[in-house]
Amino acid sequence: MNEKIILSVENLDITFRTNAGLVHAIRGVDFELPAGKTLALVGESGSGKSVTMKAVAGLLDDNATVNSGKIFYNGLDLLTLSKRDLRKKINGQQIAMVFQDPMTSLDPTMTIGAQITEGMLLHQKISATDAKDKAVELLKLVGLNEPEKRVKNYPHQLSGGQRQRVVIAIALSCEPKILICDEPTTALDVTIQARILDLIQDLQKKMGLSVIYITHDLGVVAKVADFVNVMYAGKIIEAGTVDEIFYDPRHPYTWGLLLAMPDLDTTEDRLYSIPGSPPNLLHEPIGDAFAARNRFAMKIDEREQPPMFKISETHSAATWLLHPDAPKIELPRELRLRLERARKAANL
Amino acid sequence: MRNEELGIRNADDFEFIAGRDLNVDLNFASQGYWKGVAVHFCRNKLAVAGVIIVAVIMLFAILAPIVSTYGYQEIVAVNVDGKQIVAKSLEPQFAGEAQNLFADKTFLFGTDDMGRDLWTRTWFGARVSLLIAFVAIFIDMIIGMSYGLISGYFGGHVDNIMQRFIEIAGSIPTLVIISILAIFMDKGIGLVIAALLVTEWIGMSKISRAECLKLKEREYVLASRTLGAGSFHIIFKQILPNTIGPIITQVMFSIPVAIFTEAFLSFVGVGIVLPQCSIGSLIEAGFNNITVLPYQILPPICVLALLMLGFNLIGDGFREALAPKIENM
Amino acid sequence: MTKYVAKRIFMSVLTLFVIIFVLFVLIRIMPGNPFPVERMSAEMILQKRAELGLDKPILIQFVDYMSMLLQGSFGNGTSLYNGAPIKPILLACLENSFKIGVLSILFGTTVGLLLGITAALNRGKFLDGLCTVFSILGVCIPSYVFMIFLQYFFSYKIPFFPYFFDPSRFLFSSIMPSLSLSLFTVATVARFTRNEMIEVMNSDYVKLAEAKGLYGFELMRKHVLRNALIPVVTVIAPLVVDLLTGAMVMEKIYGVNGVGKLMVDAISGDGIDYNYVLALGIVFSSLYIGIMLVLDILYGIIDPRIRLTAKETA
């Protein structure tokens, strides 16, 4: 790859202390984000996608321990920084975050304007009036009507969609290089979802942002992402470009995810769902964590974790099915049909 | 591919696993609601400690007065040369330890200034206090739940009027209510129970109203209403069972309040009257002699504190078990 | 906001009026005799009743009583039992109780807040554990147990503090009463503050503030403290009521001539003094309703959600 890598995560491993015991939430995660591109992190709830991103933003809860790993931002390992340095130099100015639920992510006792200018006043040499003007400008940029009036409002006076725009405005206030969006649209109405996604894409182009989406919605991924990482039980199990994941998926879990996505041409009566539920990471899984839910599980899956098998320069997946000795398998009919349709539609 | 680096394999490595039913979810075996609550509750060490404390005290309160050699009102005395010598204000003793006329008798907690055995009286008092608390809170629960459910279920004007009433009733300080009751009634168990009845039901009704408001919008209630179920059926068969959890929590927190209220009323002299005894009246008696005979106040105070602690721990445990936080899972 | 305050004040006055009416009627329709019968003949009682206006219809009596109340006296102004005037005694008692009460609520909330904040900032560490144990004990063990022990050890065993309250040495002799009275407040406020703080610190908006780059004291001051402390105002009202109850016991233990003791005397003596019960009932109710009103308005001022919603609906 010849693009500049702005963020790279290497072998990240995180455990949480809980009352029930240690939960090994992140079990060795590697990925890279090229500058100016969009990366989507996909997985079920509890697969570790949010935790990974919180680690990148330095926002892990107190009961989390990073056992190993490195997070390089422009060559600087963020995990070696003190909390103070991280907040002073990185948060807001380099890496900003948009949270899932706009109803809870704004301080209810502070005006919108104060919340937007807060970061600017903290990091930049800027006067209060200039900051306020900039806040109005930002609100205009994120498409909020009557921005002059809105800066004096409190969060409870705005709707969910308006609040999420405010959260995005806050994230952009210090002109960050990376924007992490943690399921930015799941709490919103479908019509507003699309508008928020368009807005982020638009801003990305204007400001040259690199964006990471955390989501479980493959529809969102198809719309916005350049690269996709699929996470399962604290590991990345398939990584590739958006085309590779959607038209040529290799991991049975990714197949399940794609099949579970509603599709107009589907011939089945019932929507497919992956059987079972993700493993409880209180107990370290032996072998492939997905084996118990995998129709194509082999005996080795119960003994040994599959490594990442490389399929192309950009595409790799962690499943023993890709081992040269593994039996060739027939894709499920429904999935095969679907992939064919998708490829045809995309003219591949 | 670096398949050689991955080590030596077994011959059957790449055989599919056969004979599994993938639809059986092994991670989250299905579990009843109350079973889940019970499991959570038992895992909470403090809550279990609370249960043990309360159980032990209740056991003593039930059994100790029955098996005791002395009655709770009995003044222990011996005849010496035709004269009655009363076992007044004896320090705690085991048979044969103390060198006095009562050397052969056991007074685990000593005797009071009237010559009554404090061991028997303490447990008898605990029994009275617990009885008052249970009776009062049980009636409160019934009144409060009915009031709250009716107010919440019917809503509109009914709710409005009923809530205004509660607002005003709730603004009268407990003390004022007690003083009014004291005018109407004689001192004693009845007054204490009445005071608890008038004050404690409000909290219960607020909780059951809130639960009812939440539940009546649920799909299953709407469904049965569409099917023609009557209000009575819906309230008692569908809403009531689902409000039990929060109500039990509230009951667990109300019992110590009731025990405390009894102790407080008896202490200031408008509660239990002699020769009856309760935790509160025993503390009052002990307090009057505290400088001379400090041992007398210890048993009732310890029982009171342990009861309050125990019930509060149980209440906390219940609350957490009913709404487990994710971090505690 | 003005409308919100006006509405609150109106509701409080109305509630108080209803309470006084109910109290008055209840006490007037009381069976039995308000006078010490053994010292008075039937004729004397009849004469006394007429003198006090007790033979008029209840509503007229109530109007008379209210007009006297508004002029600042409690009915005919004397104890029915011994004929002594109520107002001066009541005022003297009120002063004692009020001073001790204010001291303990100030001490209780300050220490409680500090403890709660310290515990939350050191979550899961030794200090937090200590604070939790203390607040569980404080909430579970009735305050009069503390009072008795404090008095026994620090006024009797080690006779440093005076055994009884002495109005002539107000500050020194009120240390023990107000300290023991405030323990429950300390424990409740500490526990509540700690839980609120932890909830706020785990909230999304604090995470967002951290994502902006705020940390340390600045984060606490701007986002955590304000949001965590607003709800604490709501627990103070019920605590004041508990304080009234606690004051009754405290006044008995420390021999304070206060309103609590007055109430106990009025209802537990040989005869019940109706005028005192009524006067004290009015005093307690107005105190309670007044405090609730002040806290309600305060809450409205510091929380923009209430302040602005009130404005919009007004």
Side-chain angles (χ1 to χ4, degrees), chain A residues 19 277-278 294 297 299 303, chain B residues 13 15 17 20 25 27 328:
Chain A
N19 290 1
S277 55
N294 184 359
K299 300 223 161 118
R303 296 181 194 132
Chain B
D13 267 354
E15 277 169 30
I17 305 167
R20 291 183 307 168
D25 190 333
N27 288 326
N328 295 339

Side-chain angles (χ1 to χ4, degrees), chain A residues 18-20 275-279 291-292 294 296-300 302-304 307 309-310 323 325-327 329, chain B residues 1-3 6 8-10 12-18 20 22-28 43 327-329:
Chain A
T18 70
N19 290 1
S277 55
N294 184 359
F296 306 103
M298 295 175 289
K299 300 223 161 118
I300 190 167
E302 293 188 324
R303 296 181 194 132
E304 214 165 321
F309 289 96
K310 211 159 188 181
H323 192 273
D325 296 345
I329 55 160
Chain B
M1 281 298 95
R2 349 160 245 142
N3 43 339
L6 294 167
I8 302 155
R9 320 215 158 277
N10 302 321
D12 62 348
D13 267 354
F14 292 103
E15 277 169 30
F16 289 118
I17 305 167
R20 291 183 307 168
L22 285 177
N23 291 314
V24 177
D25 190 333
L26 300 169
N27 288 326
F28 297 95
R43 232 190 253 161
E327 63 170 309
N328 295 339
M329 284 193 11

Side-chain angles (χ1 to χ4, degrees), chain C residues 212-230:
Chain C
K212 278 183 213 169
L214 263 78
Y215 62 94
F217 180 70
E218 199 74 345
L219 181 70
M220 285 295 138
R221 186 178 66 85
K222 284 183 130 168
H223 294 280
V224 179
L225 282 182
R226 184 157 30 164
N227 280 291
L229 297 191
I230 288 175

